[in-house]
Amino acid sequence: MRYELYYWAGIQGRGEFVRLALEEAGVDYVDVARESDDNGGGEAALLRYLEDATIVRPPFAPPFLKAGDLVIGQAANILAYLGAHHGLAPHDEAGRLWANQLQLTIVDFLVEIHDTHHPIGANLYYEDQRDEALRRTADFLKRRAPKYLDYFETVLERNPTDSDYLIGATLTYPDLSLFQIVAGLRYAFPRAMARLEKKHAGVVALHDTVAKRPRIAAYLASDRRIPFNEFGIFRHYKELDAKR
Amino acid sequence: MRYELYYWAGIQGRGEFVRLALEEAGVDYVDVARESDDNGGGEAALLRYLEDATIVRPPFAPPFLKAGDLVIGQAANILAYLGAHHGLAPHDEAGRLWANQLQLTIVDFLVEIHDTHHPIGANLYYEDQRDEALRRTADFLKRRAPKYLDYFETVLERNPTDSDYLIGATLTYPDLSLFQIVAGLRYAFPRAMARLEKKHAGVVALHDTVAKRPRIAAYLASDRRIPFNEFGIFRHYKELDAKR
């Protein structure tokens, strides 16, 4: 079976958490909106699907993944599915719940990261909410980012196996997502992250370990990895990362 | 087995989505922080747990549910667990994924509802971000609330069984959560909701059907249901609901 990922072609966004899992799993997939229109791809294919009134179980928004007859929406939900089917999640119920719990906490973190540059509304331009973004980002960097990073550092410290990973001795899908969070925060807030990383050695080690995994390293070096940019979730605006 | 729910004692918040599922399932549970301190309860018990350095898999924040040896955090994760064990979710994989997908979309909606009154930071008082809240709420009521409500209306319309519920012919846990969203929006934005409800008859019918279920009706009439207030997610500030 060839998976079909539907996500915006020009950004990492929430789709990137799925891309990383598909790459690490080494499965066959097509990133539909990045295919040419001639091939039935492009964002037009994505929009056609979203507007198709015959879909009985429609997704609210991208990303969604076609897996044979299944169409699965919401990144954390897609990851739970891929984790269970491709060895990227624990097998026991307690482990599966724990992986999902960590992933949902990463999603909460991600929403707060997004809202640093869009505190008033995703439909408005950054430039039209820049003053509010400055205020929100100050609170985020002072209180929220440290709180989340402290939490994941604690989870890593308490992992009884002493691995670099969040759960047990082997990689699971939340590790891929936490890697992406660190990579994104480094892009968006290089100044603030340099300071924060000093207190979160375990989180940094997890990032580095994931980045070196052969399939992830190959993916990051390929043109399948879209560069960070100012249309995605992690955006670098110098004024937001400035000393205050 | 007696479930132990850990959540703040004075608000509905994210814990309410779990309370509704426990009530509908008719299972034995204790709402720990609402018990007296003498009984080992109170918010002190909750804080003791959060600060306990011996917990191998610590939750980031309440709510969390003790289920025998399991401790499950993140409301959507708790609901997936309760749904699977107490007949509040489909049995097949496709159905379980669909229920989780809907729940995660409800969570996204909930975060946006919360941020109407706290667009700058959860740690700051509403009064210190009132101007930003006015702006964010205007965008929320104009664009975001209709978008989410339209989506759930569509899901209800496309349910092939023609029931009042989101999935198939019987109630599943996302129905309970969507009920809570409607109840909360009515409390927070009575003026705006009166207008929005006219275009979302299916969502309103779902709310009314859930409210009449015997166990939910009994719960809502009991003192176990904490009234809405201005410390929770759904807050009524007259200026945010004013005509603009």
Side-chain angles (χ1 to χ4, degrees):
Chain A
M1 180 179 61
R2 182 175 223 194
Y3 288 113
E4 292 177 23
L5 171 65
Y6 288 76
Y7 195 68
W8 308 112
I11 59 171
Q12 293 185 8
R14 287 186 177 223
E16 194 65 14
F17 297 88
V18 181
R19 292 187 183 113
L20 286 165
L22 291 165
E23 293 282 344
E24 175 62 28
V27 296
D28 187 23
Y29 79 98
V30 56
D31 201 338
V32 175
R34 301 190 71 199
E35 294 291 301
S36 76
D37 289 5
D38 305 341
N39 259 347
E43 291 196 347
L46 189 160
L47 294 169
R48 264 200 308 280
Y49 194 92
L50 284 176
E51 287 157 13
D52 183 345
T54 69
I55 310 290
V56 178
R57 294 177 167 183
F60 180 71
F64 51 95
L65 184 77
K66 282 202 200 178
D69 289 340
L70 282 176
V71 182
I72 310 165
Q74 285 282 355
N77 195 39
I78 300 169
L79 290 173
Y81 171 86
L82 291 174
H85 287 263
H86 298 288
L88 295 176
H91 292 295
D92 60 311
E93 181 178 38
R96 275 193 292 109
L97 289 164
W98 178 229
N100 189 41
Q101 179 175 333
L102 291 174
Q103 188 64 37
L104 294 178
T105 305
I106 290 170
V107 172
D108 287 344
F109 194 3
L110 189 72
V111 171
E112 297 195 31
I113 292 165
H114 171 270
D115 286 0
T116 57
H117 51 77
H118 274 74
I120 301 303
N123 307 293
L124 306 170
Y125 291 112
Y126 164 67
E127 289 70 19
D128 292 333
Q129 50 193 308
R130 193 172 158 278
D131 290 347
E132 294 92 339
L134 283 163
R135 256 194 103 187
R136 173 133 189 172
T137 304
D139 185 70
F140 171 79
L141 292 175
K142 184 175 172 192
R143 293 195 184 88
R144 302 300 292 171
K147 185 174 162 80
Y148 281 106
L149 292 171
D150 286 354
Y151 173 71
F152 289 110
E153 190 72 19
T154 298
V155 169
L156 287 162
E157 282 167 7
R158 295 191 192 171
N159 179 348
T161 68
D162 215 32
S163 77
D164 281 349
Y165 299 119
L166 289 162
I167 306 174
T170 58
L171 177 134
T172 56
Y173 66 84
D175 293 315
L176 300 170
S177 297
L178 190 53
F179 155 82
Q180 174 68 4
I181 293 278
V182 172
L185 287 174
R186 283 180 177 179
Y187 174 79
F189 305 109
R191 203 188 147 281
M193 261 308 266
R195 179 171 48 76
L196 285 166
E197 287 189 24
K198 288 180 194 154
K199 288 187 183 168
H200 301 97
V203 172
V204 173
L206 176 146
H207 168 276
D208 296 350
T209 297
V210 169
K212 283 181 206 145
R213 289 179 70 91
R215 286 169 174 166
I216 296 298
Y219 169 62
L220 297 176
S222 76
D223 62 5
R224 299 193 302 287
R225 172 80 163 181
I226 301 164
F228 286 108
N229 61 46
E230 278 56 57
F231 302 95
I233 294 174
F234 298 98
R235 304 190 187 186
H236 180 61
Y237 295 119
K238 210 169 172 181
E239 61 272 24
L240 297 185
D241 191 38
K243 185 168 181 178
R244 269 173 295 211
Chain B
M1 181 179 60
R2 182 176 222 193
Y3 288 113
E4 292 178 22
L5 171 64
Y6 287 76
Y7 196 67
W8 308 113
I11 59 171
Q12 293 185 9
R14 287 185 178 224
E16 195 65 12
F17 297 87
V18 181
R19 291 187 183 113
L20 285 165
L22 291 165
E23 294 282 343
E24 175 61 29
V27 296
D28 187 23
Y29 78 98
V30 56
D31 201 338
V32 175
R34 301 190 71 200
E35 295 290 301
S36 75
D37 289 6
D38 305 341
N39 258 347
E43 292 195 346
L46 189 160
L47 294 170
R48 262 199 310 279
Y49 193 91
L50 285 176
E51 288 157 14
D52 183 345
T54 69
I55 310 290
V56 178
R57 295 178 165 182
F60 180 71
F64 51 95
L65 184 76
K66 282 202 200 178
D69 288 340
L70 283 175
V71 183
I72 310 165
Q74 285 282 357
N77 195 39
I78 300 169
L79 290 172
Y81 172 86
L82 291 174
H85 287 263
H86 299 288
L88 295 176
H91 293 294
D92 61 310
E93 182 179 37
R96 275 193 291 110
L97 289 164
W98 178 230
N100 189 41
Q101 180 175 334
L102 291 174
Q103 187 65 37
L104 294 178
T105 306
I106 290 170
V107 171
D108 287 345
F109 194 4
L110 189 72
V111 171
E112 297 195 31
I113 292 165
H114 170 269
D115 286 359
T116 57
H117 52 75
H118 275 74
I120 301 302
N123 306 293
L124 306 170
Y125 290 113
Y126 164 68
E127 289 71 18
D128 293 332
Q129 50 193 307
R130 193 171 158 278
D131 291 346
E132 295 92 340
L134 283 163
R135 255 193 104 187
R136 173 133 190 171
T137 303
D139 184 69
F140 171 79
L141 292 176
K142 185 177 172 189
R143 293 195 185 89
R144 301 301 293 171
K147 185 174 163 80
Y148 281 105
L149 292 171
D150 286 355
Y151 173 71
F152 290 110
E153 190 73 17
T154 298
V155 169
L156 288 161
E157 281 167 8
R158 296 192 190 169
N159 180 346
T161 68
D162 215 32
S163 75
D164 281 349
Y165 300 118
L166 289 162
I167 306 175
T170 57
L171 177 134
T172 56
Y173 66 83
D175 294 314
L176 299 170
S177 296
L178 190 53
F179 155 82
Q180 173 69 4
I181 292 278
V182 173
L185 288 174
R186 283 180 176 178
Y187 174 79
F189 305 109
R191 204 188 146 280
M193 262 307 265
R195 178 172 50 75
L196 285 165
E197 287 189 24
K198 288 180 195 152
K199 289 186 183 169
H200 301 97
V203 172
V204 172
L206 176 145
H207 168 276
D208 296 350
T209 297
V210 169
K212 283 180 204 143
R213 290 180 69 93
R215 285 169 175 167
I216 296 298
Y219 169 63
L220 297 176
S222 76
D223 62 7
R224 298 192 301 288
R225 172 81 161 179
I226 301 165
F228 286 108
N229 61 46
E230 279 55 58
F231 302 96
I233 295 174
F234 299 99
R235 304 191 187 185
H236 180 61
Y237 296 118
K238 209 169 175 183
E239 62 273 24
L240 297 185
D241 191 36
K243 185 169 181 177
R244 267 174 295 212

